[in-house]
Amino acid sequence: MEAMIPRTSIIMPVYNTADTVIEAIRSVQAQTDPDFELLIIIDASPDNSQQVIEEYLHANPDPRVKVYAETINRGSSEVRNYAMDLIRGRWFAFLDSDDFYRSDYLEKMHAAVERYPQVQVVAAGHSMLYPDGSERDRSPQNEKYYGDNEQILVDYLNDQITPFTWDKIYRTDVCRGYHYPQNVQRGDDGVGSLSLLTNVSQMAIIRESLYVYRVNASGLTWGSLPPVTNTEDHIGHLERILGDRLHNPRIASAFNVARAMVILLNAQQALLIGGTQAQAIVRRCRQMLEWKQIIGALQSNRMVGAAAALLKMSPAAYKAFYSAYARKQYGL
């Protein structure tokens, strides 16, 4: 007898998260909407994540949970692409193994699908969980519905739609063919999100905070210093994904914002970490921020454009500004 097709397939890569992965799994099993499959892809993790997962599932068997253990580390982008070829659900979602879902993540997402029957992607709010146990809600102020692809791309590039995949559910028949680009060393979620939204014409954003993102200053996202070549590659991937759409003046203007944000991210991490290598990275980032593109960014997003202009003119002033922002926003 053929297995029932689940409503939602959830993809969870695992790498070096033995301390948090069980909480992530339990958050899926605790969903008030039980119609899912969870695909756990262990990406040749050097810690004992695989043992921890196997022991937990042996004690708590669940046919909805499937584990795939890789012997060679592929990286998060390739692992997600591999998993997308395995999914059976009518919808799919992502979960990082150091984060977790609220118990009504799937229920609230699919309630939005019922309100907007033609929708192809639903996005929700999320919360930041800090090391001291405190949380900060980061949810949109209002529910919003998009009915055309151009506006989705403009708002995405203009930082009005989050650059994450884990706060969204995607309709499989529309989004499955748009994978994460390979060899993205930094910002793979942002590049992957754009790829998945390439041909989406119907999207809803709901207000509820349904995902909990764990802030860890020593983790992959916050604790390392990426070379500028990663930033150049990131921008190149965005350009290739957009292709001829960059001839559209609105998308081209919004792209100036996205480009500036990628460069700012690299520069601000270098400024916070410091050192000789960091100084060279900041110099190169300032060179990449051309005044023509800064002016273009100002026209679409004044805050991002102003931040780019500040870094261009005074790295010391930008460091002071961003240090205060990071302390307030992320507890770093």
Side-chain angles (χ1 to χ4, degrees):
M1 182 177 177
E2 187 175 349
M4 294 285 290
I5 295 176
R7 176 149 71 166
T8 311
S9 296
I10 299 166
I11 296 170
M12 186 175 75
V14 174
Y15 186 82
N16 223 23
T17 52
D19 292 340
T20 58
V21 67
I22 300 306
E23 183 177 13
I25 295 172
R26 285 174 173 158
S27 78
V28 177
Q29 293 176 309
Q31 289 298 300
T32 52
D33 174 5
D35 191 5
F36 64 81
E37 66 173 356
L38 172 61
L39 307 180
I40 300 173
I41 316 296
I42 304 172
D43 191 20
S45 184
D47 67 355
N48 64 332
S49 291
Q50 182 172 344
Q51 178 184 348
V52 168
I53 292 168
E54 290 174 348
E55 289 177 354
Y56 172 77
L57 292 176
H58 179 74
N60 303 273
D62 189 335
R64 299 170 299 177
V65 181
K66 302 173 178 64
V67 179
Y68 302 84
E70 298 296 301
T71 57
I72 299 174
N73 178 252
R74 298 183 178 208
S76 59
S77 293
E78 190 171 341
V79 162
R80 290 184 177 101
N81 289 341
Y82 168 67
M84 277 193 277
D85 291 334
L86 299 173
I87 60 177
R88 299 183 300 117
R90 297 186 295 276
W91 294 80
F92 66 92
F94 297 92
L95 172 61
D96 286 353
S97 57
D98 52 355
D99 301 333
F100 56 92
Y101 287 160
R102 302 289 190 197
S103 62
D104 54 356
Y105 179 95
L106 293 178
E107 179 184 350
K108 292 287 180 63
M109 290 290 208
H110 286 294
V113 174
E114 293 177 4
R115 290 197 298 276
Y116 306 107
Q118 302 303 315
V119 76
Q120 298 161 334
V121 174
V122 179
H126 64 275
S127 298
M128 312 284 286
L129 176 62
Y130 299 99
D132 64 2
S134 62
E135 290 189 17
R136 179 188 292 270
D137 180 69
R138 298 185 71 188
S139 297
Q141 292 184 343
N142 300 298
E143 185 162 302
K144 188 170 184 177
Y145 186 79
Y146 292 90
D148 72 275
N149 176 255
E150 179 183 316
Q151 192 60 52
I152 290 171
L153 294 180
V154 167
D155 278 10
Y156 180 83
L157 294 168
N158 207 20
D159 198 33
Q160 301 304 304
I161 296 174
T162 60
F164 314 120
T165 52
W166 38 253
D167 61 354
K168 302 174 181 69
I169 62 170
Y170 301 86
R171 212 175 82 188
T172 303
D173 63 342
V174 174
C175 301
R176 187 177 198 166
Y178 297 91
H179 285 40
Y180 279 70
Q182 296 299 301
N183 301 317
V184 180
Q185 301 299 319
R186 195 76 174 184
D188 58 335
D189 219 25
V191 175
S193 291
L194 180 60
S195 178
L196 290 167
L197 294 175
T198 301
N199 283 327
V200 170
S201 59
Q202 310 282 331
M203 179 176 178
I205 299 177
I206 61 177
R207 294 186 59 207
E208 290 90 344
S209 173
L210 301 177
Y211 188 98
V212 180
Y213 174 86
R214 199 183 305 269
V215 177
N216 180 1
S218 63
L220 175 63
T221 306
W222 298 105
S224 59
L225 182 58
V228 177
T229 53
N230 288 0
T231 294
E232 294 168 339
D233 289 343
H234 188 155
I235 294 170
H237 282 299
L238 297 179
E239 290 175 332
R240 285 188 287 276
I241 291 168
L242 291 169
D244 290 341
R245 292 178 177 86
L246 285 172
H247 297 308
N248 179 314
R250 296 182 68 223
I251 292 177
S253 180
F255 178 73
N256 285 321
V257 176
R259 184 181 184 278
M261 289 182 63
V262 173
I263 296 170
L264 288 171
L265 178 61
N266 198 170
Q268 63 206 25
Q269 287 177 298
L271 287 167
L272 291 176
I273 292 172
T276 303
Q277 181 186 1
Q279 293 174 3
I281 288 174
V282 172
R283 283 195 298 271
R284 177 59 184 137
C285 287
R286 294 175 69 203
Q287 292 171 354
M288 293 172 67
L289 287 170
E290 301 175 5
W291 280 112
K292 179 180 179 180
Q293 292 164 335
I294 291 174
I295 292 171
L298 279 165
Q299 293 171 347
S300 293
N301 188 315
R302 290 182 180 179
M303 182 177 293
V304 173
L310 182 61
L311 177 64
K312 183 76 170 178
M313 294 185 294
S314 174
Y318 183 83
K319 179 181 179 180
F321 163 78
Y322 184 75
S323 295
Y325 172 82
R327 282 193 299 271
K328 179 180 179 181
Q329 190 74 9
Y330 302 111
L332 298 178

